[in-house]
Amino acid sequence: MIETISEHACFGGVQGFYSHRSSAIGLPMRFSVYQPPQAARGPVPVLFFLAGLTATEETFMIKAGAQRFAAEHGLILVSSDTSPRHTGIEGATKDWDFGEGAGFYIDATEAPWRAHFQMETWVAVELRELICARFPARADRIGIFGHSMGGHGALTLAIRHPNFFRSVSAFAPISAPTQCAWGKNAFVTYLGHDRQTWKEHDASELIRQRGALFPNGILIDQGMSDKFFGEMQLRPEVFEAACANAGQPLTLRRHAGYDHGYYFISTFMADHLAFHRANLSG
């Protein structure tokens, strides 16, 4: 059952914010949906956006300026929260880059996190099925993109579930989490110490293992004044090399002067929605 929190007219469509009781998470989860004007006439393609650390289901819809382009292209936009909330887990709200607000879009296997932090199943299975059942969505035309931690999530979920997601792109993704501090901290706590298990949630390792899955390419934008790029948290060059070795077409665009935030994201949003529309229109 979906609870409607609010709905707003937007570029001829409807921007809504919703909640439901998740069976995967075991708690209420919030998400947002933009329905373009074309959705009033019948099912349209769907594009999931996964946000980064500390963000919520509102962040992308408020800051990215994506609805204008979704209305032009006839795309439903879906943005999910970044983790369970109010879990009662000790330490879950202690750090900004781990726990609540930082689910990393994986299914935790370690206690106590495994009780509620089942983000891969929630996004890729439960929420996807809910959107297709309750909104005018084309179940066979779904793409995914994201930012930072959400860029990691978009790349890994697309590669792990290519039967669900037909197109993928990212803004400043954590491209090799087994090789950066953010990823190592999350993986050892959520997944334990087995590094082979970690590789199953690292986009660069997954491309090496599974090869080219997206013949129409993957699009990534990276700002060169991004402090997290400078701190070696993102590592797009590792993903670039893995794609080259696997024969996976990749467009990795490096932009001088742009940082990690939504000014950067909104600048190139039109390109990403056009990219997905082209991939989802066949």
Side-chain angles (χ1 to χ4, degrees):
M1 180 177 176
I2 294 178
E3 175 190 352
T4 300
I5 298 170
S6 66
E7 291 183 330
H8 316 271
C10 184
F11 291 106
V14 179
Q15 174 63 61
F17 298 92
Y18 309 95
S19 175
H20 82 120
R21 178 79 184 188
S22 167
S23 60
I25 301 295
L27 294 167
M29 291 295 291
R30 294 165 69 109
F31 60 97
S32 55
V33 180
Y34 174 70
Q35 300 177 67
Q38 296 89 334
R41 302 190 293 271
V44 298
V46 184
L47 185 53
F48 278 75
F49 182 85
L50 305 184
L53 293 164
T54 75
T56 72
E57 74 288 347
E58 294 183 314
T59 308
F60 169 76
M61 296 301 188
I62 292 172
K63 292 185 175 183
Q67 293 93 335
R68 179 191 298 274
F69 307 113
E72 293 176 4
H73 293 300
L75 295 171
I76 286 177
L77 297 176
V78 178
S79 186
S80 65
D81 202 351
T82 50
S83 79
R85 304 285 175 171
H86 309 294
T87 62
I89 296 173
E90 185 177 357
T93 59
K94 178 181 177 182
D95 299 312
W96 68 272
D97 56 356
F98 181 78
E100 294 187 21
F104 273 82
Y105 304 101
I106 60 178
D107 287 351
T109 57
E110 295 293 298
W113 310 99
R114 65 187 177 211
H116 297 299
F117 280 72
Q118 300 294 308
M119 289 296 292
E120 178 175 3
T121 296
W122 181 58
V123 172
V125 180
E126 187 177 11
L127 182 59
R128 178 184 55 83
E129 292 178 349
L130 182 65
I131 295 299
C132 292
R134 298 296 298 273
F135 294 87
R138 287 284 304 269
D140 61 339
R141 296 286 188 272
I142 301 178
I144 190 167
F145 69 147
H147 169 231
S148 193
M149 177 186 72
H152 142 76
L155 293 172
T156 57
L157 295 190
I159 297 167
R160 287 170 61 84
H161 303 280
N163 54 323
F164 295 162
F165 302 109
R166 293 178 54 131
S167 64
V168 58
S169 72
F171 296 93
I174 302 173
S175 301
T178 60
Q179 299 183 40
C180 74
W182 277 344
K184 291 176 182 178
N185 179 55
F187 285 1
V188 73
T189 312
Y190 288 142
L191 301 174
H193 292 276
D194 183 357
R195 289 179 176 263
Q196 288 302 121
T197 301
W198 295 8
K199 291 180 179 180
E200 293 300 316
H201 303 279
D202 180 311
S204 299
E205 295 289 345
L206 286 169
I207 282 290
R208 292 190 187 101
Q209 296 170 13
R210 304 191 184 193
L213 296 172
F214 299 93
N216 293 330
I218 297 170
L219 172 62
I220 292 177
D221 281 307
Q222 175 63 59
M224 300 310 289
S225 293
D226 183 331
K227 70 174 183 178
F228 300 118
F229 173 76
E231 292 173 3
M232 305 294 284
Q233 295 281 22
L234 306 178
R235 307 301 304 273
E237 75 284 354
V238 178
F239 187 71
E240 184 178 40
C243 286
N245 290 335
Q248 169 61 58
L250 169 69
T251 299
L252 172 54
R253 307 191 301 184
R254 296 169 169 89
H255 304 282
Y258 285 90
D259 61 20
H260 196 70
Y262 272 81
Y263 296 116
F264 157 62
I265 293 171
S266 61
T267 299
F268 302 104
M269 183 56 59
D271 295 348
H272 281 251
L273 265 65
F275 169 81
H276 286 281
R277 183 67 182 96
N279 279 279
L280 299 175
S281 63

